[in-house]
Amino acid sequence: MKNHAIKFRHLQTFVEVARQKSVMKAAGILHVSQPAVTKTIRELEEVLGVAVFEREGRGIRITRYGEVFLRHAGAALTALRQGLDSVSQERSGEGPPIRVGALPTVSTRIMPRAMALFLKEETGTRTKIVTGENAVLLEQLRVGDLDLVVGRLAAPDKMTGFSFEHLYSEQVVFAVRPGHPLIAGKQSIFAHLGDYPVLMPTRASIIRPFVERLLIANGIASLPNQIETVSDSFGRAFVRSSDAIWIISAGVVATDVEDGLLATLPIDTSETKGPVGLTMRTDAIPSLPLAILIQTIREAAEVAMPTG
């Protein structure tokens, strides 16, 4: 293997194809032709001596050798971007940017307080906060598009190359509008759950397996009026204007419940409890501003830690 033959374009193209799982999509994002992307990947494979992608039906998937290389390629791109950013920031007098991925529950309950504390430090740092599904955020973290993810602990096979710091534990709740027919407790909630629209976390969301196990344990194999969504704005609006039931992490609706805008059904969801915390790449060295932000997130979590 000739390490010196690997160039920036090889790393950039490989990481983008791995992220998009498509040569066509990667070509569009990189603004090059599909043949150019294919040629670059072949050059990389010749240097490495192994295939990094293989065909799967009409698409492609990354090989185990590609998975190994991706961890290092992402770190290398991150280091290069940080170097370029550092030069640019030195010239402009700005601090290094911080890119944070946060699950909706964290964006609602933790990050506003954390950012208020962080801004008081006057680091002069630009900060970008991205919200999305856990799997998407972790992939962005892996390839260097994010510096930190604040959310639930992922499954062990998804945590390779990452470190996790536990902040608190959180469980899901069944949120409804005040005055919902099932709140009174005169009806069996699980027996009548199928009578109402139910907003479920998507299959890619990290809390979905917890929810499915809870439902199955209570005799529910499927729901006839099920809507999958990760949009907290849609969930909040739809539930408040209907008899729908929203199965969601407690932190997302905590303020709504406290303000009396939403209520929760009297269901024991303790078995859905899982750790929430900070996920970073194990090879990452936090900048001073990032270290300060991490500390403010810890402080915000101590104050706003969900209970129950």
Side-chain angles (χ1 to χ4, degrees):
M1 181 175 68
K2 302 176 181 179
N3 291 326
H4 64 276
I6 295 180
K7 299 180 173 61
F8 178 80
R9 64 182 175 84
H10 292 125
L11 297 178
Q12 185 181 39
T13 302
F14 166 70
V15 168
E16 200 58 56
V17 173
R19 180 166 54 181
Q20 301 299 329
K21 298 180 175 61
S22 166
V23 170
M24 180 178 68
K25 291 180 180 179
I29 290 175
L30 296 171
H31 303 292
V32 297
S33 67
Q34 291 185 50
V37 171
T38 301
K39 179 182 178 182
T40 300
I41 294 299
R42 286 177 178 170
E43 289 176 357
L44 176 63
E45 291 178 331
E46 288 179 5
V47 173
L48 295 175
V50 293
V52 292
F53 296 107
E54 60 187 13
R55 292 192 175 278
E56 184 176 54
R58 295 184 178 180
I60 60 172
R61 72 178 184 86
I62 194 167
T63 66
R64 65 187 183 92
Y65 296 110
E67 288 281 6
V68 171
F69 186 66
L70 179 60
R71 296 198 293 271
H72 301 285
L77 281 180
T78 298
L80 286 170
R81 287 168 181 159
Q82 288 176 341
L84 293 172
D85 287 342
S86 296
V87 173
S88 175
Q89 289 140 18
E90 186 66 25
R91 295 177 62 185
S92 65
E94 296 180 346
I98 299 176
R99 301 156 300 174
V100 180
L103 291 184
T105 176
V106 175
S107 296
T108 303
R109 199 83 186 275
I110 304 300
M111 290 308 298
R113 189 187 303 270
M115 285 306 303
L117 293 173
F118 180 69
L119 291 174
K120 290 181 180 179
E121 298 293 332
E122 299 182 349
T123 65
T125 304
R126 292 177 291 118
T127 307
K128 178 181 180 180
I129 299 176
V130 178
T131 297
E133 293 181 340
N134 198 70
V136 175
L137 296 180
L138 288 182
E139 184 62 25
Q140 292 177 328
L141 178 64
R142 190 179 301 280
V143 300
D145 287 344
L146 293 176
D147 302 303
L148 172 71
V149 169
V150 192
R152 281 216 181 197
L153 173 63
D157 62 314
K158 303 297 184 182
M159 289 298 294
T160 303
F162 294 140
S163 63
F164 180 82
E165 177 186 335
H166 179 268
L167 294 177
Y168 61 90
S169 294
E170 183 175 58
Q171 61 198 57
V172 304
V173 293
F174 287 58
V176 295
R177 65 171 178 80
H180 191 281
L182 292 180
I183 288 181
K186 296 180 180 180
Q187 297 176 315
S188 169
I189 293 176
F190 286 107
H192 292 274
L193 203 62
D195 297 340
Y196 305 94
V198 177
L199 303 188
M200 285 276 287
T202 62
R203 296 188 183 279
S205 67
I206 199 165
I207 64 173
R208 178 63 177 255
F210 295 90
V211 173
E212 289 181 336
R213 285 196 293 269
L214 176 66
L215 293 176
I216 291 173
N218 286 276
I220 299 177
S222 63
L223 292 166
N225 300 309
Q226 176 177 305
I227 303 172
E228 293 190 3
T229 182
V230 293
S231 172
D232 56 315
S233 56
F234 167 73
R236 187 171 286 108
F238 188 62
V239 170
R240 288 177 59 182
S241 62
S242 71
D243 283 339
I245 300 167
W246 187 14
I247 306 178
I248 189 67
S249 292
V252 175
V253 295
T255 301
D256 301 273
V257 173
E258 291 169 1
D259 293 342
L261 300 175
L262 292 176
T264 57
L265 295 179
I267 297 174
D268 180 8
T269 60
S270 57
E271 65 182 78
T272 67
K273 185 174 290 187
V276 177
L278 309 171
T279 300
M280 295 183 62
R281 293 186 305 277
T282 53
D283 59 2
I285 301 175
S287 63
L288 178 57
L290 178 57
I292 293 173
L293 177 59
I294 288 173
Q295 182 56 35
T296 66
I297 293 173
R298 292 184 184 123
E299 294 173 8
E302 288 181 3
V303 175
M305 178 166 37
T307 60

